[in-house]
């Protein structure tokens, strides 16, 4: 809620802020998708959508809508996005507790791939 109130990452639930019609503003890395990878200065971010809210398993393909479109637009326009890391992230760069703003990053590519759950 503090991230939302401060404007750093406005959604109180959801990993991508912005999109659909404009650039993404921020992403929050919190361990939501098993395919996410955090290499410190290089992050592979799965996007949003297709996940069962109870099991956290992927149950359908993601679509190029909402925040996923925002990330694509950020890539095309070379617009930086804020990255926030959460303690739930399995990464040596994750904070011990809470959430932390870790700076501006650029989207340098995007692609379709089949994830661990087959979508």
């Amino acid at each position: 809620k503090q991230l939302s109130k401060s404007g750093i990452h406005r959604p109180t639930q959801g990993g991508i802020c912005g999109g659909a019609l404009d650039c993404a503003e921020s992403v929050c890395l919190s361990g939501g998708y098993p395919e996410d990878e955090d290499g410190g200065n290089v992050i592979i971010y799965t996007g949003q959508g297709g996940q069962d809210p109870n099991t956290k398993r992927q149950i359908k393909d993601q679509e190029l809508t909402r925040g996923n479109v925002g990330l694509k637009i950020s890539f095309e326009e070379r617009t930086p996005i804020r990255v926030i890391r959460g303690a739930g992230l399995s990464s040596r760069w994750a904070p011990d507790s809470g959430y932390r703003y870790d700076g501006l990053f650029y989207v340098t590519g995007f692609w379709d791939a089949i994830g661990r759950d087959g979508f």
Side-chain angles (χ1 to χ4, degrees):
K1 290 182 181 178
Q2 290 176 340
L3 290 170
S4 181
K5 285 181 184 179
S6 70
I8 292 173
H9 186 75
R10 291 180 289 117
T12 55
Q13 292 287 318
I16 304 172
C17 179
L21 300 174
D22 202 0
C23 301
E25 298 172 20
S26 60
V27 294
C28 185
L29 310 175
S30 60
Y33 291 87
E35 290 81 15
D36 288 351
E37 295 180 22
D38 184 2
N41 290 327
V42 176
I43 297 164
I44 296 177
Y45 187 79
T46 303
Q48 67 182 177
Q51 206 178 49
D52 181 287
N54 298 317
T55 65
K56 303 295 183 193
R57 303 274 320 249
Q58 203 72 19
I59 57 171
K60 65 180 184 176
D61 292 336
Q62 290 187 352
E63 298 176 356
L64 195 54
T65 59
R66 305 179 313 147
N68 294 337
V69 171
L71 290 173
K72 179 180 183 283
I73 294 169
S74 294
F75 167 74
E76 292 168 344
E77 296 185 4
R78 297 279 306 147
T79 304
I81 59 171
R82 293 183 296 275
V83 169
I84 295 92
R85 287 185 171 99
L89 182 65
S90 179
S91 165
R92 70 182 229 191
W93 291 279
D96 292 333
S97 64
Y99 292 88
R100 182 184 65 226
Y101 168 70
D102 277 351
L104 295 172
F105 285 66
Y106 286 95
V107 178
T108 59
F110 63 96
W111 60 93
D112 288 335
I114 302 297
R116 295 177 189 162
D117 291 326
F119 298 95

